[in-house]
Amino acid sequence: MADVKLDILTPLGAVREGIEVAGVEVPGIQGELGLLPHHESLVTAVTAGVIRFKEGNSSVRIAVGSGFLEVKEAGRVVILVERAVESSDVDAAAAKSARDEARKELDAYKGSVDAPEYRALHDRWAWNDAQVRAAS
Amino acid sequence: MANLKELRLRIGSVKNTRKITSAMSQIATARLRRAQNAALAARPYGERLQEVVAHLIGGIDPAERSSAHPLLEAREVAEGEEHTLYIAMTADKGLCGGFNGNINRSVLATLRTEREAGRKASLITIGAKGSGFFSRDEGLISKHAAPTLDTIVELSKAIAAEATGRFLGTAEGVDDDDRPNRVVLVYNHFVSVLTQEVTELQLCPLQPAEAEGGSSFQREPVFEPSRGEILEHLVPVTIESMLQQAMFNSVAAEIAARRVAMDAATDNASELIADLTLEYNRERQAAITSELMEIIGGAEALKG
């Protein structure tokens, strides 16, 4: 059976490189995306969320920040994200409190939603939320 | 005799200096590997990103390219109204050879030629050395600390946001008069341990590298949601990534420069110690000889 060849790259190095998985689930900008072998060539944006795939018999969950995904011919999937952390490395309690704090600040925010501050705040919330979801 | 003591003290002090320089060189050697590995690990991400951007932008008609995303727009400005924002990346500490001086000198020369030609030039400095050097510059906008391996991601985001905010005129307190129409980063590129190259890199408007040997896609991929919307996300991230790559380079180059400088300093100290020891021994021998002569002279006098 053909496999998906998966790369997960961040600016701080590769989280996974050239591993072969049966399929992978990615948080796309338009919703959750399941990629199987023979997927059409595709370029799309990834939002903060959780990437899931099976490595051997264990399922792996990786919290990622926003980024991009490209599917090339021959089932090669490259995911470029600004950061990534495996569910086993998440400090769930810290992420949870950071998420709740960011949520509170977001709720109290009165400025424009286009302002860089708002986006930074939202990114922080989304990233911590992704970590919490990966760990749970 | 005073000379002997002076020499001894001098040798002692040079030996202390050598201890410090050789320790610094050893520390730099240890840190260099980490910095090089980090720079190497960061490369695939940056390269893939560049490739995707090049592909995306390559598919847009050149005439419409600059309107595809505001950060790609080469704005038309009147003669004499050109304004370039320079970002100068130096280190926080010295003792690393020409690392900081090269950047400062190159940026200073560029600022001068720009201003003499009647164009505007402003500056953001990264690193205490550059901030100090340009602290009285008329165009200095802001100063930042030098990146370290742990702060690169955050710092590159902050600086990218600041620079693009100015370029787009969305940053607070920036009116159309001080909107730069070009943002250029000046940093030390890590060529090898022995060489760094002062490199100028244009961040805005973003000029994607031409994809070499055509696209890596055999067929035109599907863009979801659309080319434009992906560009919307991709362009700012690409600028951040370019800054990041430059920072990784700069950090590695700084450590390499420090190692080379401290190695040279250690060698010089060893040479100096050898010279001083030779002189010291010569003086010592001269003193012993003259003492002996005095004793012999005294004994001869008693005999007679």
Side-chain angles (χ1 to χ4, degrees):
Chain A
M1 182 182 106
D3 278 330
V4 175
K5 236 180 156 190
L6 178 67
D7 285 350
I8 303 177
L9 306 175
T10 75
L12 297 178
V15 181
R16 288 288 191 283
E17 208 166 4
I19 60 162
E20 302 205 333
V21 294
V24 54
E25 282 175 43
V26 184
I29 194 163
Q30 293 184 316
E32 203 78 5
L33 207 62
L35 298 170
L36 294 169
H38 306 300
H39 195 284
E40 174 84 285
S41 289
L42 169 76
V43 174
T44 190
V46 172
T47 58
V50 185
I51 292 180
R52 296 184 190 83
F53 55 90
K54 276 206 157 159
E55 203 170 29
N57 282 326
S58 57
S59 47
V60 179
R61 285 201 303 254
I62 299 178
V64 294
S66 57
F68 295 86
L69 161 102
E70 50 169 336
V71 182
K72 294 204 278 187
E73 63 290 342
R76 184 157 190 87
V77 177
V78 182
I79 302 173
L80 301 163
V81 283
E82 56 178 13
R83 47 192 160 187
V85 59
E86 278 194 47
S87 56
S88 54
D89 297 333
V90 171
D91 182 346
K96 204 165 176 1
S97 69
R99 176 191 68 172
D100 294 344
E101 199 179 304
R103 182 76 255 172
K104 243 181 255 162
E105 283 178 47
L106 266 180
D107 288 341
Y109 186 82
K110 293 277 185 289
S112 150
V113 288
D114 283 334
E117 296 84 33
Y118 179 82
R119 239 174 297 141
L121 203 56
H122 188 269
D123 279 354
R124 207 173 85 205
W125 171 79
W127 165 238
N128 282 303
D129 187 52
Q131 286 183 76
V132 172
R133 278 190 285 140
S136 62
Chain B
M1 291 299 273
N3 200 9
L4 263 185
K5 191 173 180 198
E6 257 170 39
L7 278 172
R8 209 164 43 227
L9 288 176
R10 189 85 205 280
I11 291 171
S13 107
V14 177
K15 273 189 178 160
N16 278 339
T17 310
R18 184 176 62 174
K19 261 185 220 156
I20 294 169
T21 57
S22 92
M24 285 181 80
S25 138
Q26 278 167 17
I27 293 167
T29 311
R31 289 177 56 203
L32 183 60
R33 178 153 314 145
R34 202 182 146 221
Q36 263 179 306
N37 285 344
L40 227 54
R43 203 163 287 168
Y45 176 83
E47 279 171 2
R48 291 303 307 150
L49 206 53
Q50 290 280 349
E51 210 175 299
V52 177
V53 174
H55 185 86
L56 261 171
I57 296 176
I60 299 173
D61 184 7
E64 290 167 14
R65 228 170 256 186
S66 68
S67 55
H69 192 282
L71 287 172
L72 299 173
E73 185 191 358
R75 227 184 2 258
E76 296 278 337
V77 282
E79 185 104 359
E81 286 294 308
E82 298 99 335
H83 180 177
T84 309
L85 170 62
Y86 289 93
I87 305 177
M89 184 137 54
T90 57
D92 273 344
K93 289 182 198 134
L95 292 181
C96 42
F99 181 85
N100 296 314
N102 287 345
I103 293 282
N104 288 344
R105 235 175 297 128
S106 147
V107 171
L108 186 65
T110 318
L111 289 180
R112 274 204 190 127
T113 42
E114 286 290 302
R115 283 174 188 155
E116 270 163 20
R119 293 188 284 264
K120 273 208 234 171
S122 50
L123 183 68
I124 293 176
T125 57
I126 308 173
K129 287 290 163 185
S131 306
F133 187 81
F134 289 108
S135 61
R136 286 167 188 281
D137 190 88
E138 53 185 289
L140 183 66
I141 294 167
S142 67
K143 306 177 201 174
H144 297 268
T148 65
L149 289 181
D150 302 321
T151 61
I152 282 180
V153 175
E154 297 301 316
L155 191 65
S156 61
K157 269 180 182 293
I159 291 169
E162 183 178 348
T164 52
R166 290 197 160 261
F167 180 78
L168 299 173
T170 53
E172 227 166 283
V174 180
D175 46 38
D176 277 351
D177 290 346
D178 15 90
R179 249 179 95 179
N181 64 334
R182 217 159 68 95
V183 178
V184 176
L185 172 70
V186 187
Y187 72 104
N188 272 305
H189 192 81
F190 180 89
V191 180
S192 72
V193 175
L194 292 175
T195 19
Q196 305 87 42
E197 215 170 59
V198 175
T199 308
E200 286 192 10
L201 181 69
Q202 179 166 325
L203 295 180
C204 311
L206 182 66
Q207 296 171 316
E210 291 298 319
E212 281 164 30
S215 159
S216 59
F217 293 97
Q218 281 169 0
R219 270 183 302 158
E220 185 63 13
V222 178
F223 292 96
E224 257 183 33
S226 68
R227 246 175 222 276
E229 273 176 75
I230 292 179
L231 265 183
E232 185 85 9
H233 286 265
L234 197 54
V235 171
V237 174
T238 307
I239 291 174
E240 270 169 31
S241 155
M242 284 162 84
L243 261 167
Q244 263 166 22
Q245 299 281 332
M247 284 180 182
F248 276 117
N249 262 295
S250 177
V251 168
E254 177 200 341
I255 296 171
R258 177 160 297 125
R259 199 189 100 180
V260 170
M262 288 301 110
D263 267 350
T266 309
D267 288 349
N268 286 343
S270 300
E271 210 173 287
L272 192 58
I273 289 169
D275 286 353
L276 285 174
T277 312
L278 194 66
E279 204 184 322
Y280 175 77
N281 283 338
R282 214 176 270 145
E283 285 288 328
R284 195 172 53 93
Q285 225 158 6
I288 292 169
T289 314
S290 77
E291 250 173 70
L292 269 177
M293 294 298 275
E294 273 167 36
I295 294 168
I296 294 168
E300 288 290 322
L302 281 179
K303 230 191 259 171

